[in-house]
């Protein structure tokens, strides 16, 4: 047995012998929201209850305030304490320690993940509302990150086949805070963040989060400059009504980096090419300007019905441009082709989400009934231009892979095969759910969501509009058996759909307009065990099938056969919280067998039955430990180990597994100031971090050192 896996199993088994120790020594979990007043519930309800690396309850998985142990679903939460201790500032970094989640390269311009074998660049949410534009998100204003695994259509709507990632933001809660973070590190890393909040009056609270970062990276020529500001306000309009207001402006400008190509089915000399840039650094860039305004109204009616209503406007101006490896290095090692393109993808989102919750009893049954509706409108532009290199006017340029940087001019033009469409999407949804408690040992949950998905895209060159309407029904059912209050065994079944326009729905060809949505079906059983008030162990077994993946029709060009299918069977183990009062852990183990059942096409490549889904390792072990050695000094040790993967589902390029250690040192200088040092890849191992297909492969970072000084006033 692998040493790392044996170690984790030993820890988990040992944990079952620690209840008395942890109960005696471990910190107690704050009491649930049920024991506080309505105004406190309104202010704190979105935050959940967290202690250290453990969150004990959340409303995101059910839209009702529910303990995680009573939620029939696998949910992993990265708390603010864990984000702070690991020194991470991006979703890609944070999810490395979440079982069953693998970061995808995302063409070097956006967050992109693979959850339970399903890739998505759109299944991102903020406080439960869709945040689906392709960009890199910063964690400066994030209270916690929730990864809800398996299809989540009843709660979140379309997509989310493998799971979704929901950021819960910091908000004005009336707690005085004045915090400044200063960071520096290798490659010219510079970052400053502020978090300031207080009570304006007994009924008005204010908070301001801001960040500025200017940094190079371990990759040649790759620089990042980003900044954001997020003021929030909470107004207690009365004992039963709370209004929350938030506005965020975020800017991110960086060099796009598609990594290195392959040769002979392996990453090309990756141990020597950790920093090597393939492309034109003068032309490679991605930028986004995001304006996001949100209003949330919470109200409790005299009847006992609680309303949670959110209204959000978000405008994203996004553009990216790439000169990148367009093929493999030749056998002689003397040539590789570069290709080029750019994409302008602005989008504006309008969402209104309204939830109504009512609790009542029918005889011995206790009900928590949810009903709600969501309205949305999204509009945008998808304009892609192909690059033509200056000297030849060709769409590819041959360079020496030992000197792959080019400064050759590139002309970008919209061709007949490029997107050039303006689109709009109207959606309306209604949903209902009932959580039934049948005595102290049995709970069931059932619900249904109906989505009306009306999408149209107009080709700006021809003024031809293609449209499609989908009416989708997504059920959810689950059961929780609790032999004891701190032990729950659950089973669940859920379905979600992805319309034919795909994750980003930017264009719609006549063939896609005729295609049925993809369907995701997940069956799962699991266990959750609160070993102590501040330590939870979880386990899950699941089968996730994806149907209706499109296969190009060989007899009808431009049309598709919806016969593609993949199946993922997996097991996950998680551990979060205090093992003792001086030892915290977060992480777990995932076994994921994601394979093609019926072949389908991916561009010009045919995918064969039995192939493994790209970027999905069979085994992945991730564990972060924090040891409080003295009241003022702590040490964090992280370990990541994954098996080998394939760069894409055609299984022609094999990437090695990862073995990486991370280190954190924390010193409390005084009651107001804390110093922190984080070392990523402590032993300077050479590895592959992620990829986007067979010839855009990202080498992992060498040893990276960052230092932070955090002051509270």
């Amino acid at each position: 047995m692998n040493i790392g896996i044996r170690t984790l199993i030993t820890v988990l088994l040992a944990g079952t012998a620690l209840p008395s120790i942890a109960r005696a020594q471990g910190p107690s979990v704050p009491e649930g929201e049920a024991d506080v007043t309505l105004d406190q519930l309104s202010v704190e309800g979105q935050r959940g209850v967290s202690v250290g690396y453990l969150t004990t309850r959340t409303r995101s998985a059910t839209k009702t305030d529910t303990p995680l142990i009573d939620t029939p679903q696998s949910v992993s939460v990265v708390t603010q304490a864990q984000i702070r201790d690991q020194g991470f500032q991006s979703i890609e970094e944070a999810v490395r320690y979440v079982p069953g989640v693998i970061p995808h390269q995302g063409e070097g311009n956006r967050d992109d993940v693979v959850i339970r074998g399903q890739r998505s660049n759109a299944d991102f949410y903020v406080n439960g509302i869709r945040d689906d534009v392709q960009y890199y998100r910063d964690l400066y204003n994030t209270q916690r990150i929730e990864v809800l695994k398996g299809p989540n259509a009843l709660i979140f709507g379309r997509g989310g086949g493998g799971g979704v990632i929901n950021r819960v933001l910091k908000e004005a809660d009336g707690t005085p805070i004045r915090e400044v973070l200063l960071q520096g590190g290798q490659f010219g890393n510079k970052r400053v963040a502020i978090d300031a909040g207080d009570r304006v009056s007994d009924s008005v609270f204010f908070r301001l989060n801001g960040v500025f970062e200017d940094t190079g990276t371990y990759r040649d020529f790759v620089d990042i400059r980003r900044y954001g500001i997020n003021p929030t306000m909470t107004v207690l309009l009365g004992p039963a009504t709370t209004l929350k207001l938030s506005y965020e402006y975020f800017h991110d400008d960086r060099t796009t980096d598609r990594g290195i190509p392959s040769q002979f089915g392996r990453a090309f000399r990756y141990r020597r090419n950790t920093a090597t840039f393939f492309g034109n650094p003068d032309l490679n860039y991605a930028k986004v300007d995001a304006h996001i305004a949100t209003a949330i109204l919470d109200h409790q009616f005299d009847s006992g019905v609680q309303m949670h209503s959110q209204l959000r406007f978000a405008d994203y101006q996004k553009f990216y441009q790439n000169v990148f490896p367009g093929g493999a290095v030749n056998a002689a090692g003397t040539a590789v082709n570069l290709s080029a393109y750019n994409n302008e993808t602005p989008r504006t989102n309008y969402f209104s989400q309204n939830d109504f919750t009512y609790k009542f009893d029918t005889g011995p049954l206790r009900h928590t009934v949810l009903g709600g509706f969501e309205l949305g409108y999204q509009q945008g532009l998808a304009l892609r231009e192909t690059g033509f290199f200056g000297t030849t006017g060709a769409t590819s340029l041959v360079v020496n892979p030992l000197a792959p940087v080019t400064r050759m001019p590139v002309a970008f033009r919209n061709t007949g095969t490029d997107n050039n469409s303006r689109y709009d999407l109207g959606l309306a949804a209604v949903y209902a759910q009932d959580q039934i408690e049948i005595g102290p040992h049995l709970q069931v949950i059932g619900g249904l969501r109906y989505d009306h998905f009306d999408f149209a895209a107009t080709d700006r060159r021809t003024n031809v509009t293609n449209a499609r309407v989908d009416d989708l029904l997504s059920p959810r059912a689950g059961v929780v058996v609790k032999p004891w209050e701190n032990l729950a065994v659950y089973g669940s079944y859920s379905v979600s759909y992805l319309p034919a326009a795909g994750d980003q729905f930017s264009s719609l060809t006549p063939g896609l307009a005729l295609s049925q949505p993809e369907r995701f079906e997940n069956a799962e059983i699991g266990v959750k065990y609160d070993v102590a008030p501040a330590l939870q162990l979880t386990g899950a077994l699941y089968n996730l099938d994806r149907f209706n993946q499109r296969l190009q029709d060989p007899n009808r060009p431009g049309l598709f056969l919806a016969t593609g299918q993949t199946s993922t069977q997996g097991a996950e183990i998680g551990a979060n919280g205090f093992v003792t009062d001086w030892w915290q852990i977060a992480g777990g183990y995932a076994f994921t067998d994601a394979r093609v059942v019926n072949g389908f096409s991916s561009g010009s490549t045919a995918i064969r039955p039995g192939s493994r889904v790209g970027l999905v390792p069979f085994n992945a072990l991730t564990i972060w430990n924090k040891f409080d050695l003295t009241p003022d000094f702590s040490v964090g040790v992280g370990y990541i180990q994954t098996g080998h993967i394939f760069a894409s589902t055609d299984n022609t390029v094999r990437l090695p597994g990862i073995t990486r250690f991370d280190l954190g040192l924390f010193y409390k200088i005084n009651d107001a100031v804390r110093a922190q040092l984080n070392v990523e890849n402590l032993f300077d191992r050479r590895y592959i971090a992620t990829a986007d297909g067979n010839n855009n492969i990202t080498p992992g970072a060498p040893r990276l050192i960052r230092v932070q000084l955090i002051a509270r006033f």
Side-chain angles (χ1 to χ4, degrees):
M1 181 184 291
N2 180 282
I3 295 176
I5 297 174
R6 185 189 301 123
T7 301
L8 177 63
I9 293 173
T10 301
V11 170
L12 297 184
L13 293 177
T16 62
L18 291 171
S20 58
I21 299 175
R23 289 191 180 98
Q25 298 180 339
S28 62
V29 180
E31 294 183 4
E33 283 88 337
D35 298 325
V36 299
T37 63
L38 176 64
D39 59 347
Q40 291 173 319
L41 171 61
S42 300
V43 172
E44 299 178 1
Q46 195 65 255
R47 295 171 55 195
V49 177
S50 297
V51 54
Y53 298 164
L54 175 66
T55 294
T56 59
R57 61 197 304 131
T58 177
R59 64 174 297 138
S60 301
T62 60
K63 286 185 176 288
T64 64
D65 178 37
T66 304
L68 284 179
I69 196 171
D70 295 337
T71 303
Q73 180 180 5
S74 179
V75 180
S76 296
V77 180
V78 183
T79 66
Q80 186 186 30
Q82 185 179 343
I83 294 170
R84 180 193 63 209
D85 288 348
Q86 293 178 323
F88 292 152
Q89 280 100 32
S90 73
I91 286 178
E92 176 185 353
E93 295 172 315
V95 300
R96 286 245 178 231
Y97 280 90
V98 176
V101 183
I102 301 295
H104 188 281
Q105 185 197 83
E107 297 181 88
N109 73 85
R110 61 179 179 262
D111 289 324
D112 210 324
V113 292
V114 180
I115 306 177
R116 289 187 170 180
Q118 316 303 320
R119 177 194 171 191
S120 177
N121 51 53
D123 291 322
F124 296 93
Y125 293 78
V126 176
N127 292 348
I129 296 183
R130 190 174 295 272
D131 179 40
D132 56 3
V133 172
Q134 302 177 88
Y135 72 108
Y136 284 110
R137 297 148 180 88
D138 195 282
L139 303 182
Y140 76 100
N141 60 346
T142 299
Q143 183 73 21
R144 66 179 183 270
I145 300 171
E146 302 171 332
V147 183
L148 299 99
K149 301 169 189 174
N152 286 272
L154 189 143
I155 303 301
F156 295 98
R158 70 182 189 272
V164 304
I165 294 178
N166 182 52
R167 286 180 297 147
V168 177
L169 301 188
K170 300 175 183 177
E171 60 186 33
D173 58 6
T175 303
I177 182 171
R178 293 168 181 83
E179 181 180 279
V180 176
L181 179 148
L182 300 174
Q183 177 179 296
Q186 291 174 275
F187 306 105
N189 176 249
K190 301 175 290 294
R191 180 181 173 96
V192 59
I194 61 169
D195 185 356
D198 211 334
R199 290 175 175 253
V200 178
S201 68
D202 288 342
S203 60
V204 179
F205 313 149
F206 181 78
R207 189 168 185 174
L208 176 68
N209 280 273
V211 68
F212 175 82
E213 182 172 355
D214 188 358
T215 182
T217 71
Y218 68 97
R219 298 280 296 157
D220 290 343
F221 308 108
V222 178
D223 299 305
I224 301 170
R225 184 182 178 90
R226 55 185 172 178
Y227 47 87
I229 185 169
N230 181 202
T232 64
M233 179 175 288
T234 298
V235 183
L236 304 181
L237 299 177
T241 308
T242 301
L243 175 66
K244 302 174 189 175
L245 302 173
S246 171
Y247 166 74
E248 180 181 14
Y249 169 66
F250 183 71
H251 172 86
D252 186 285
D253 191 344
R254 66 180 63 210
T255 309
T256 51
D257 178 20
R258 297 286 290 269
I260 66 177
S262 66
Q263 184 189 39
F264 305 130
R266 300 290 186 270
F268 176 64
R269 293 160 52 99
Y270 73 91
R271 290 185 175 87
R272 300 182 184 180
N273 283 325
T274 298
T276 306
F277 186 85
F278 282 71
N280 187 330
D282 297 335
L283 298 178
N284 283 42
Y285 68 98
K287 61 181 180 181
V288 66
D289 286 283
H291 298 266
I292 305 172
T294 307
I296 303 174
L297 183 65
D298 288 294
H299 179 74
Q300 180 166 305
F301 296 94
D302 292 340
S303 62
V305 174
Q306 293 188 11
M307 179 186 73
H308 181 71
S309 181
Q310 299 192 73
L311 184 65
R312 174 166 298 162
F313 165 80
D315 180 76
Y316 309 85
Q317 297 299 315
K318 171 68 189 294
F319 178 89
Y320 63 96
Q321 187 165 278
N322 268 310
V323 181
F324 64 102
V329 175
N330 67 353
T334 57
V336 63
N337 290 332
L338 299 182
S339 299
Y341 73 99
N342 64 37
N343 254 327
E344 184 179 358
T345 59
R347 180 177 297 166
T348 304
N349 291 346
Y350 307 85
F351 288 110
S352 174
Q353 192 177 99
N354 306 274
D355 303 328
F356 300 88
T357 306
Y358 183 58
K359 297 183 179 182
F360 63 93
D361 296 341
T362 55
L365 307 181
R366 303 186 64 181
H367 299 263
T368 300
V369 174
L370 166 76
F373 66 92
E374 180 175 353
L375 301 174
Y377 179 70
Q378 300 179 261
Q379 61 179 0
L381 171 69
L383 176 59
R384 188 184 193 275
E385 296 181 320
T386 298
F388 297 84
F389 291 91
T391 57
T392 64
T395 58
S396 64
L397 174 70
V398 179
V399 298
N400 186 335
L402 301 181
V405 175
T406 178
R407 308 285 181 173
M408 182 173 292
V410 181
F412 294 91
R413 298 196 300 271
N414 183 247
T415 69
T417 58
D418 291 327
N419 283 341
N420 187 357
S421 57
R422 185 160 294 278
Y423 60 84
D424 63 270
L425 165 66
L427 62 94
V430 293
Y431 42 85
Q433 173 185 272
D434 192 5
Q435 296 168 260
I436 306 173
E437 185 176 338
I438 309 171
H441 303 297
L442 179 63
Q443 302 171 25
V444 296
I445 182 172
L448 186 67
R449 179 181 177 118
Y450 164 74
D451 281 281
H452 178 76
F453 187 91
D454 187 351
F455 178 65
T458 300
D459 190 314
R460 299 198 305 170
R461 294 162 299 201
T462 64
N463 281 329
V464 173
T465 299
N466 290 299
R468 180 177 175 87
V469 174
D470 287 298
D471 294 300
L472 309 174
L473 283 175
S474 304
R476 172 186 190 173
V479 60
V480 179
V481 179
K482 299 183 72 174
W484 301 283
E485 184 180 356
N486 64 334
L487 175 66
V489 179
Y490 70 87
S492 68
Y493 173 79
S494 57
V495 176
S496 70
Y497 295 89
L498 179 64
D503 270 339
Q504 291 299 329
F505 60 89
S506 55
S507 63
L508 193 66
T509 66
L512 290 177
L514 297 174
S515 298
Q516 295 297 313
E518 296 186 41
R519 186 175 82 254
F520 303 84
E521 294 185 12
N522 185 78
E524 180 175 331
I525 59 173
V527 61
K528 299 180 182 183
Y529 179 32
D530 288 343
V531 179
L535 176 63
Q536 185 174 88
L537 307 182
T538 62
L541 299 172
Y542 66 89
N543 184 88
L544 173 57
D545 292 318
R546 181 175 185 172
F547 302 95
N548 294 345
Q549 290 184 270
R550 290 178 295 279
L551 172 67
Q552 293 177 357
D553 190 331
N555 300 316
R556 297 180 296 171
L559 299 181
F560 301 90
L561 301 174
T563 57
Q565 179 185 346
T566 63
S567 180
T568 305
Q569 296 178 333
E572 296 168 355
I573 300 172
N576 288 82
F578 284 81
V579 179
T580 71
D581 61 340
W582 51 267
W583 175 16
Q584 291 189 74
I585 58 173
Y589 165 75
F591 169 79
T592 313
D593 186 5
R595 294 184 181 272
V596 175
V597 177
N598 292 325
F600 59 94
S601 62
S602 176
S604 60
T605 303
I607 308 300
R608 297 182 301 274
S611 298
R612 288 172 56 187
V613 173
L615 293 187
V616 181
F618 279 131
N619 298 286
L621 172 65
T622 58
I623 190 76
W624 172 264
N625 304 267
K626 184 182 180 185
F627 306 98
D628 296 326
L629 302 184
T630 73
D632 298 327
F633 180 65
S634 302
V635 175
V637 179
Y639 178 61
I640 298 173
Q641 184 181 69
T642 70
H644 77 273
I645 58 177
F646 290 100
S648 70
T649 309
D650 64 16
N651 290 186
T652 59
V653 175
R654 186 181 188 272
L655 305 179
I658 298 173
T659 300
R660 190 181 100 184
F661 285 89
D662 297 334
L663 175 69
L665 301 176
F666 316 100
Y667 181 65
K668 182 180 177 183
I669 298 174
N670 54 45
D671 289 341
V673 181
R674 170 177 125 151
Q676 177 173 329
L677 180 143
N678 288 97
V679 183
E680 180 181 321
N681 192 9
L682 178 65
F683 298 111
D684 201 24
R685 296 288 297 269
R686 296 296 185 262
Y687 67 97
I688 296 298
T690 184
D692 180 51
N694 291 333
N695 293 296
N696 297 153
I697 301 167
T698 301
R703 183 188 298 113
L704 287 180
I705 300 175
R706 297 186 298 269
V707 179
Q708 290 184 355
L709 196 65
I710 304 168
R712 284 200 169 196
F713 305 98

